[in-house]
Amino acid sequence: MRIRLQRQLLAVMGPAIVGYAMVPGCVIRVGPGTGGDDDSAPEGVPVPEEPAPDQSVEEPGQETKTPEELAEEAFMRGDPQELALASTKATFTTYALAGMIESLGLDPATLDEAALSELMTQYMPAAAEEAERWLSMLDPSTLPLGITPRYQCTDEFGCVYSTPCKHAMLGYSIPSVKHLCFVTDCGDARCSTCPTWIGEILSHLAIRAWCAYVCVEQGVYDGKPIAIGAGGISPIRNTFIGPICKAP
């Protein structure tokens, strides 16, 4: 009787035991439990640490900004009144400089890049003085705010959008810190004293267009103006000259 009962139990439990043994990855732990689902290792067994996330990896979709883009953002965060005053000085100075050189009646064939740069550097102190005279007649609170770099000057006249100072006005020096100058204004440099009926070439003997710049330091949060600059486009070769810089 006992033998028959053992055979019946073996017939029922045998397949279950074989199936359990064939399941992969089964681990039997022997030791004190925690009473929950905690699968931490037993006491005294080292647990491998999770690798720290790589902080240098950029998030998906994140783009690295260029120094020019960072400087432009700093420009946009600058003090509106300081930028307005610096931009107005740059405009008046550059406009006066272009007019002075254009009124000399020089032969454009003799004005290569070096000669035109020398002329602009030579006459810029007088142009800056004229600009200060004009500014003295204005109420600074009436100057337009919201000064931004102007892509239109590049598209319409060929002004370089952003560039460091290339030369310094007599009595000044190029800023010693790393900087970028952004074009903030521009215009046609047509000779103001020339008759309206003369052609394009004769009315633009030395400078075809003028380009005014405000320069800010790179690597700072807010773009405090550290210089203003004057640039120009030669009428024959369409070469950009400048900017010639001075303190704002």
Side-chain angles (χ1 to χ4, degrees):
M1 182 69 178
R2 180 177 299 178
I3 296 174
R4 182 182 302 174
L5 180 59
Q6 291 177 346
R7 289 179 179 176
Q8 290 176 349
L9 289 174
L10 183 60
V12 173
M13 299 181 60
I17 295 173
V18 173
Y20 182 82
M22 293 180 66
V23 175
C26 292
V27 178
I28 300 176
R29 294 183 179 178
V30 179
T34 60
D37 294 332
D38 186 5
D39 58 353
S40 59
E43 184 178 354
V45 178
V47 179
E49 297 182 357
E50 291 291 334
D54 186 358
Q55 300 295 333
S56 64
V57 177
E58 297 180 358
E59 295 294 332
Q62 182 179 357
E63 297 181 358
T64 302
K65 295 181 179 179
T66 65
E68 181 185 45
E69 291 172 332
L70 293 174
E72 186 174 1
E73 289 181 356
F75 184 108
M76 304 293 285
R77 287 191 292 261
D79 183 88
Q81 291 183 331
E82 289 185 350
L83 288 173
L85 182 58
S87 177
T88 303
K89 283 185 178 182
T91 294
F92 283 1
T93 300
T94 309
Y95 178 79
L97 177 61
M100 289 178 181
I101 295 177
E102 195 65 34
S103 65
L104 297 176
L106 302 173
D107 181 1
T110 64
L111 294 178
D112 57 13
E113 182 177 350
L116 189 52
S117 295
E118 185 176 348
L119 276 174
M120 292 174 67
T121 303
Q122 177 183 347
Y123 281 90
M124 191 165 173
E129 184 178 343
E130 184 71 9
E132 291 290 347
R133 186 180 68 83
W134 288 342
L135 281 169
S136 66
M137 297 183 289
L138 296 178
D139 181 358
S141 63
T142 63
L143 298 178
L145 304 180
I147 301 300
T148 60
R150 298 189 62 191
Y151 283 104
Q152 300 94 321
C153 293
T154 299
D155 297 336
E156 186 174 355
F157 295 107
C159 302
V160 174
Y161 181 71
S162 65
T163 178
C165 294
K166 292 297 192 298
H167 310 279
M169 188 182 85
L170 296 177
Y172 291 87
S173 59
I174 293 177
S176 58
V177 297
K178 193 173 183 180
H179 66 280
L180 270 181
C181 306
F182 291 91
V183 60
T184 54
D185 204 358
C186 52
D188 193 320
R190 179 184 177 90
C191 173
S192 58
T193 60
C194 296
T196 56
W197 51 265
I198 66 174
E200 181 77 10
I201 296 298
L202 293 179
S203 62
H204 299 85
L205 294 176
I207 299 178
R208 180 176 62 81
W210 55 270
C211 313
Y213 289 83
V214 173
C215 311
V216 296
E217 182 179 354
Q218 289 185 262
V220 298
Y221 180 79
D222 56 343
K224 182 179 179 63
I226 60 173
I228 61 173
I233 308 295
S234 64
I236 295 182
R237 300 178 181 84
N238 286 328
T239 303
F240 174 78
I241 310 297
I244 317 295
C245 293
K246 66 176 290 291

